[in-house]
Amino acid sequence: MSATAARPDPFRPAKRVAGQRQDVWSIVNEAAAASPVQPIVNMGQGFFGYNPPQFALDAAKAALDRVDCNQYAPTKGRPRLKKAIADAYSSSFGRTLNPDTEVAITTGANEGMLCAFMGFIEPGDEVIIFEPFFDQYISNIQMPGGTIRYVPLYPPKDGATRTSSASEWTIDFEELERTINPKTKMIVLNTPHNPVGKVFSRDELERIGELCVKHNLIILSDEVYDPLYYVPFTRIATLSPELWERTLTVGSAGKAFYATGWRVGYLIGPEHLIKYVAAAHTRICYSSVSPLQEAAAVAFEQADKLGFWDQSRTEMKQKMERFCEVFDELNIPYSDPEGGYFVLANLSSVKLPEDYPFPPHVAARPRDFKLSWFLIHEVGVAAVPPTEFYTDANAHIAEDYLRFAVCKTDDVLETAKERLRGLKKYISK
């Protein structure tokens, strides 16, 4: 072919990134920018409204003064951080973790999950995830050519009329086993769960584990909210030697220490899994931010001594209770979280005006997108529509819910509550 001959458009994007509809974050941001109520109270995105603890901040500042911390970190992570994580997690795993072979540091938990998929998933392999799901799972699985199979968590049938525990979102285990087939290679768990707030019970994890052993599946257990549990919390990797051998557990220093911008994540698991995750990480970004790894190491070393974990759980539970008072006042049912910092409120009683001027790209989406847009414009509070975390076939399960993030300062929570009281005139019983 000559240099001047016609050729396919070289600027045509790859299918993995082309043709995606407008994502939830851009729609929420668009609504916030156009809202007549300013400033918007952002209860949508799960970033913290306050700084990390002082001992973590001090460690970050000190790390910047060190020559070695400002250069490339070892690709699997700074040794001090791997040891600090191994020491911090050994008791909860019921085994002495080897920091050199059973811990890998990644650029945030999201890159850690991408590394797990890149390390084990090939074109045609299938991965099972539960709906609702963290939206990044989808692209991370598709990048190496994986196919996704979905199994929904079912909310309580009367979730529109009463506040109920997040534990009441349940799995149909027969449906789960029917979804497994010879192409299935991995299953993804998320506990504590975003956005439901469910902490999977020991019984549920045992049943999932039995299926994974029976069908020889890898388990990717996304436990990034593991410091924040308000009921007994079990790690699936601890239930048996067979499950430890097939489980990669994902964690996040950013979530743990209120520093989502640090992008320090990690994976814990047996050597025969971790080494391939680490190999993928080397090829994706080589190594992760060095000074903040050192800061995270110091934070893990000090957290137990300073009682930080108990304090963190207590404070977040109090924020959850403080914020949910407004839903109790308005008689809006919600899913009472067992962990994490998100709450799903069921706004089926909020009646949207029939002639409300939703833009076409919002009007075409499920009801929760309209609820989100309406709340931003009428009361100035941003919340995330959870059908973004569902396939179209199952979006009806969550179309009356909105997700609120309570990891904000108390004055922000109080402002949000006061504004949400403006919904009274739209509520019909």
Side-chain angles (χ1 to χ4, degrees):
M1 184 175 72
S2 71
T4 57
R7 71 167 83 192
D9 180 5
F11 303 109
R12 184 175 60 199
K15 290 181 180 179
R16 69 178 66 92
V17 296
Q20 296 180 4
R21 63 187 178 185
Q22 191 173 7
D23 67 86
V24 65
W25 314 111
S26 58
I27 289 176
V28 169
N29 290 336
E30 174 193 346
S35 175
V37 186
Q38 296 291 342
I40 299 298
V41 179
N42 188 352
M43 302 291 292
Q45 290 174 283
F47 59 80
F48 294 87
Y50 40 88
N51 262 339
Q54 193 61 46
F55 62 86
L57 289 176
D58 291 343
K61 293 171 184 176
L64 289 172
D65 288 330
R66 291 175 46 184
V67 173
D68 65 306
C69 287
N70 288 306
Q71 308 309 319
Y72 293 123
T75 184
K76 287 180 66 177
R78 292 185 66 85
R80 185 175 182 179
L81 178 55
K82 291 191 296 176
K83 183 179 186 305
I85 289 172
D87 290 346
Y89 277 84
S90 286
S91 60
S92 67
F93 274 81
R95 63 194 304 124
T96 300
L97 297 170
N98 185 325
D100 296 322
T101 60
E102 296 177 341
V103 178
I105 308 303
T106 59
T107 307
N110 183 51
E111 195 249 339
M113 288 183 274
L114 175 61
C115 292
F117 298 129
M118 287 291 192
F120 291 97
I121 300 302
E122 296 186 290
D125 288 341
E126 295 190 0
V127 180
I128 294 174
I129 67 175
F130 292 103
E131 295 184 84
F133 45 76
F134 174 49
D135 52 347
Q136 287 292 107
Y137 294 159
I138 307 307
S139 56
N140 285 349
I141 294 167
Q142 291 173 340
M143 284 289 184
T147 298
I148 305 163
R149 300 299 179 198
Y150 303 90
V151 175
L153 294 173
Y154 292 99
K157 293 181 180 179
D158 56 356
T161 58
R162 71 175 178 91
T163 292
S164 52
S165 170
S167 66
E168 295 184 50
W169 290 65
T170 57
I171 301 167
D172 181 334
F173 281 94
E174 291 183 0
E175 181 178 11
L176 173 58
E177 185 156 26
R178 287 196 304 271
T179 307
I180 300 171
N181 64 70
K183 295 181 180 179
T184 309
K185 190 167 188 179
M186 187 181 291
I187 186 168
V188 180
L189 287 176
N190 178 204
T191 180
H193 189 277
N194 168 20
V196 172
K198 176 184 176 68
V199 171
F200 282 78
S201 70
R202 185 182 184 91
D203 177 67
E204 289 172 320
L205 295 175
E206 286 175 343
R207 295 183 70 181
I208 293 169
E210 287 170 4
L211 290 175
C212 292
V213 171
K214 176 181 176 181
H215 296 280
N216 197 26
L217 308 181
I218 297 172
I219 302 167
L220 182 65
S221 189
D222 176 358
E223 299 178 12
V224 298
Y225 301 98
D226 64 355
L228 299 172
Y229 54 87
Y230 318 123
V231 298
F233 173 64
T234 302
R235 300 185 190 279
I236 193 167
T238 67
L239 293 179
S240 70
E242 293 82 6
L243 290 175
W244 160 257
E245 290 295 321
R246 65 181 62 251
T247 301
L248 285 163
T249 299
V250 185
S252 167
K255 296 286 197 304
F257 296 111
Y258 318 155
T260 58
W262 285 17
R263 310 307 295 143
V264 178
Y266 45 92
L267 288 97
I268 297 170
E271 180 179 7
H272 62 268
L273 297 181
I274 287 293
K275 65 180 180 181
Y276 296 114
V277 170
H281 168 71
T282 301
R283 287 153 181 80
I284 292 169
C285 62
Y286 182 71
S287 66
S288 300
V289 182
S290 188
L292 296 179
Q293 285 191 53
E294 192 72 7
V298 175
F300 274 113
E301 291 165 0
Q302 296 189 11
D304 257 336
K305 302 172 187 175
L306 298 174
F308 174 72
W309 303 126
D310 289 340
Q311 176 188 343
S312 178
R313 274 190 294 276
T314 298
E315 290 180 354
M316 196 64 75
K317 179 64 171 171
Q318 288 173 346
K319 288 180 182 294
M320 193 73 71
E321 292 170 349
R322 175 192 287 267
F323 179 66
C324 288
E325 287 171 352
V326 71
F327 297 135
D328 294 330
E329 290 175 26
L330 297 173
N331 199 25
I332 289 175
Y334 55 92
S335 182
D336 190 14
E338 299 179 302
Y341 49 70
F342 297 110
V343 59
L344 284 179
N346 189 301
L347 278 73
S348 58
S349 62
V350 174
K351 303 305 177 185
L352 300 174
E354 292 184 7
D355 57 350
Y356 197 81
F358 294 109
H361 61 283
V362 174
R365 300 294 284 269
R367 184 174 187 268
D368 59 333
F369 274 81
K370 301 179 186 69
L371 283 167
S372 176
W373 187 276
F374 185 78
L375 249 67
I376 292 170
H377 277 256
E378 298 304 317
V379 301
V381 175
V384 167
T387 61
E388 180 77 358
F389 312 136
Y390 279 85
T391 56
D392 289 343
N394 284 323
H396 64 278
I397 293 173
E399 65 180 358
D400 287 324
Y401 288 90
L402 286 179
R403 190 196 77 173
F404 296 83
V406 306
C407 50
K408 314 297 178 182
T409 60
D410 288 349
D411 61 327
V412 168
L413 297 180
E414 290 299 330
T415 301
K417 287 163 62 178
E418 185 56 38
R419 291 190 179 186
L420 287 169
R421 291 184 180 105
L423 288 175
K424 286 181 181 176
K425 59 185 176 183
Y426 302 106
I427 293 175
S428 62
K429 299 297 180 186

